Amino acid sequence: MTMIGWLQIALFFLAVLVTIKPLGLYMARVFAGERTALSPVLGRLEADLYRISGISPNKEQGWLAYTASMLAFSVAGFLALYAILRLQAHLPLNPQGFAGMAPDLAFNTAVSFVTNTNWQNYGGETTLSHFSQMAGLTVQNFLSAATGMALAMALTRAFVRSKAATLGNFWVDMTRAVLYVLLPMAIVVALAFVAMGLPQTLDGAVTATTLEGASQTIALGPVGSQEAIKQLGTNGGGFFNVNAAHPFENPTTFSNYLNIFAMLSISAALVYTFGQLVGNRRQGWAIISAMAILLIAGVAAIYWAEAAGNPILTALGVDAAAGNMEGKEVRFGQAMTALYAAVTTGLSDGGVNGMHGSFTGLGGLVPMFLMQLGEVLPGGIGSGLYGMLVFALLSVFVSGLMVGRTPEFLGKKIEGREMKYAMLAVLVLPLAILGFTAISAMLPLAVASIGTAGPHGLSEILYAYTSAAANNGSAFGGLTGNTVWYNTTLGIAMLLGRFAYVVPVMAIAGSLAAKVKVPPSSGTFPTDGPLFVGLLIGIILILGGLQFFPALALGPIVEHLAMLAGQTF
């Protein structure tokens, strides 16, 4: 570890901190339906979209109707994307003549992008046409992110309203998320990426002559536009097979900084938006503090592990002072690779600028563990916020049990009904991750896909289902995922991680909105101070992470201990 590395990390978090308040206030105005600087430009377009679609923007929905609209919209998006991928050979903008995807791979990919997971069992530049990349994947990058933001706003209104039967209108929330937040920011970021050297063209490829005189085909395409919403929407699906480690997708230190900043900015600011809308900015900062503490700890752990190096490689004569550079780009180094790895897994982004499977045992454990905490640090756009609020409800419930009082959060009493829904939500992740991992570790056809035997092979399987169920999408490497078994089961895990989680959350929202909002009393546990932050972190670590410890002990922890002992498997 170096002072320069720590300075790079510190400057990044400072830049995000400066952005949180202005961006959070802007989004609060957007979702409150107030006039913004973009209203004169986009207001007419927004009204026309409602008119064409037959949507009444003033008609609100209860939690069941809101959830049903979201599910119907997601099903329609899945069917449309599945059709594009299967019929790719017959659609335009296919300069390289790629065939359509196989049914199981198309299912996996369509589910992946609709659920904001963006797991990729294919190489983008060798599999997908420009039409599939733009009309299929990029469109879903916008819509899946906007869906998460809409759901977070519905839950936010549940805390604001008293004895209410409605939570807003899904179609309005989603439209405003795209028009006023995602699209303007994506245009700005895409232009910045193109200025930094990312390709933006409809050409399929160019042929270059190498220094040795050989001919090399270099894939091109509309990379800059897809990269922008890939990061802003915490999607993570790359245009190229090696994602942000590719020099066309992430050419310089500056583009790397912008990549990480773009993926974290909206998710972090959305927590401030929550505090603004519920009338308690301190509450927003308290939740942001809990997220930041755990995320920064993750960055530090990865950086320390990778800078310390691998004793096995040191014994073979590799300079220990260089640390572990396996699987990393020299233009980023260990500090920025560690920062990228922690942020992309603390979020539900899933983009990578290094190969996580090449990290040390501890360095590979931390990204996996950050996902297993529930993708709330700060998680995906919207999904991280409503996931964190579930942990907040659990925290105040535990505190209420400690003092023998009915717990309250932001003026709403938290009772048994909300806790039942909350536990249904938090049990989805371990059920999907550990269940599918256990089955795959026993099935010969699933085990045949791992690239390394022993604990690392188990980590490959565990990481894959962790990434899928957490709607992250990053890959550990080494696992051959493009099989009928993994395409199907990973797709099911993604569906569970998105929809089996959010339906109980929306039920919580409906229950809370119908309750009377009561003012705080002398016995109310304050939820905007350091004590609550500490309790929230404890609940996240216990409920979000401790249940995965036995599986981690058989995989990355054993690998880390063996590395320290100089043993290989």
Side-chain angles (χ1 to χ4, degrees), residues 390-403:
V390 169
F391 280 119
L393 296 181
L394 291 168
S395 299
V396 296
F397 189 78
V398 169
S399 68
L401 293 177
M402 290 178 178
V403 298

Side-chain angles (χ1 to χ4, degrees), residues 206-262:
V206 295
T207 302
T209 302
T210 67
L211 293 176
E212 292 80 12
S215 180
Q216 181 180 5
T217 300
I218 301 174
L220 297 173
V223 182
S225 56
Q226 183 169 325
E227 184 74 7
I229 189 58
K230 156 193 165 180
Q231 303 296 43
L232 287 168
T234 61
N235 295 284
F239 191 94
F240 297 101
N241 188 32
V242 294
N243 209 277
H246 197 289
F248 282 4
E249 198 160 329
N250 192 6
T252 68
T253 301
F254 296 107
S255 67
N256 191 62
Y257 242 93
L258 183 55
N259 264 275
I260 310 173
F261 178 82

Side-chain angles (χ1 to χ4, degrees), residues 50-354:
Y50 297 147
R51 179 177 53 80
I52 295 170
S53 305
I55 301 298
S56 175
N58 297 320
K59 183 180 180 181
E60 294 203 345
Q61 300 170 303
W63 81 268
L64 279 172
Y66 199 105
T67 306
S69 297
M70 178 272 297
L71 292 173
F73 182 71
S74 299
V75 169
F78 165 78
L79 294 175
L81 181 53
Y82 182 83
I84 289 173
L85 297 174
R86 294 284 288 130
L87 299 172
Q88 177 176 258
H90 308 287
L91 296 173
L93 296 176
N94 187 4
Q96 293 165 303
F98 291 135
M101 273 190 176
D104 59 304
L105 181 57
F107 165 79
N108 180 279
T109 305
V111 167
S112 180
F113 279 79
V114 168
T115 58
N116 201 242
T117 308
N118 298 61
W119 174 273
Q120 296 176 286
N121 273 337
Y122 61 88
E125 71 270 41
T126 59
T127 308
L128 293 181
S129 68
H130 294 345
F131 185 85
S132 295
Q133 295 271 23
M134 293 188 296
L137 305 190
T138 303
V139 167
Q140 282 303 318
N141 282 349
F142 279 98
L143 298 181
S144 64
T147 297
M149 295 174 75
L151 294 168
M153 289 302 102
L155 181 57
T156 299
R157 295 188 188 105
F159 292 104
V160 177
R161 300 179 177 184
S162 182
K163 300 179 68 175
T166 60
L167 295 169
N169 187 307
F170 170 75
W171 309 107
V172 173
D173 289 337
M174 185 197 61
T175 301
R176 288 175 177 167
V178 173
L179 281 183
Y180 292 94
V181 181
L182 297 175
L183 189 58
M185 293 184 69
I187 291 173
V188 173
V189 173
L191 290 173
F193 276 141
V194 172
M196 292 177 181
L198 275 70
Q200 184 67 24
T201 176
L202 294 180
D203 290 339
V206 295
T207 302
T209 302
T210 67
L211 293 176
E212 292 80 12
S215 180
Q216 181 180 5
T217 300
I218 301 174
L220 297 173
V223 182
S225 56
Q226 183 169 325
E227 184 74 7
I229 189 58
K230 156 193 165 180
Q231 303 296 43
L232 287 168
T234 61
N235 295 284
F239 191 94
F240 297 101
N241 188 32
V242 294
N243 209 277
H246 197 289
F248 282 4
E249 198 160 329
N250 192 6
T252 68
T253 301
F254 296 107
S255 67
N256 191 62
Y257 242 93
L258 183 55
N259 264 275
I260 310 173
F261 178 82
M263 72 170 92
L264 186 56
S265 55
I266 298 179
S267 284
L270 202 60
V271 184
Y272 189 90
T273 299
F274 167 79
Q276 174 70 14
L277 291 177
V278 300
N280 188 344
R281 294 182 183 181
R282 283 174 54 88
Q283 185 67 71
W285 283 119
I287 295 175
I288 291 171
S289 298
M291 294 173 169
I293 290 170
L294 289 171
L295 182 59
I296 292 172
V299 175
I302 298 174
Y303 188 22
W304 173 82
E306 297 309 299
N310 188 332
I312 298 174
L313 296 179
T314 302
L316 295 175
V318 177
D319 183 9
N324 178 38
M325 282 299 295
E326 182 185 356
K328 300 176 183 64
E329 290 293 312
V330 293
R331 64 185 186 274
F332 305 140
Q334 290 152 350
M336 297 309 293
T337 303
L339 178 63
Y340 201 117
V343 172
T344 196
T345 50
L347 290 155
S348 69
D349 187 87
V352 296
N353 72 347

Side-chain angles (χ1 to χ4, degrees), residues 365-427:
L365 180 149
V366 175
M368 197 185 312
F369 185 67
L370 292 178
M371 290 186 287
Q372 291 167 348
L373 291 180
E375 289 289 67
V376 292
L377 306 176
I381 289 186
S383 61
L385 175 57
Y386 62 67
M388 196 63 159
L389 292 176
V390 169
F391 280 119
L393 296 181
L394 291 168
S395 299
V396 296
F397 189 78
V398 169
S399 68
L401 293 177
M402 290 178 178
V403 298
R405 290 180 57 90
T406 301
E408 298 175 13
F409 186 65
L410 294 172
K412 295 299 179 84
K413 292 189 179 295
I414 310 303
E415 298 173 307
R417 185 179 183 182
E418 290 77 36
M419 284 302 98
K420 291 175 183 177
Y421 289 137
M423 290 311 301
L424 281 175
V426 299
L427 288 174

Side-chain angles (χ1 to χ4, degrees), residues 418-492:
E418 290 77 36
M419 284 302 98
K420 291 175 183 177
Y421 289 137
M423 290 311 301
L424 281 175
V426 299
L427 288 174
V428 167
L429 216 58
L431 176 66
I433 294 172
L434 297 177
F436 280 123
T437 298
I439 296 171
S440 298
M442 297 295 294
L443 278 180
L445 63 88
V447 173
S449 290
I450 63 175
T452 308
H456 195 84
L458 176 62
S459 294
E460 292 175 6
I461 298 173
L462 179 62
Y463 193 104
Y465 287 111
T466 297
S467 180
N471 297 142
N472 183 272
S474 64
F476 202 58
L479 183 74
T480 303
N482 189 15
T483 66
V484 173
W485 169 257
Y486 281 111
N487 280 331
T488 304
T489 56
L490 287 170
I492 294 172

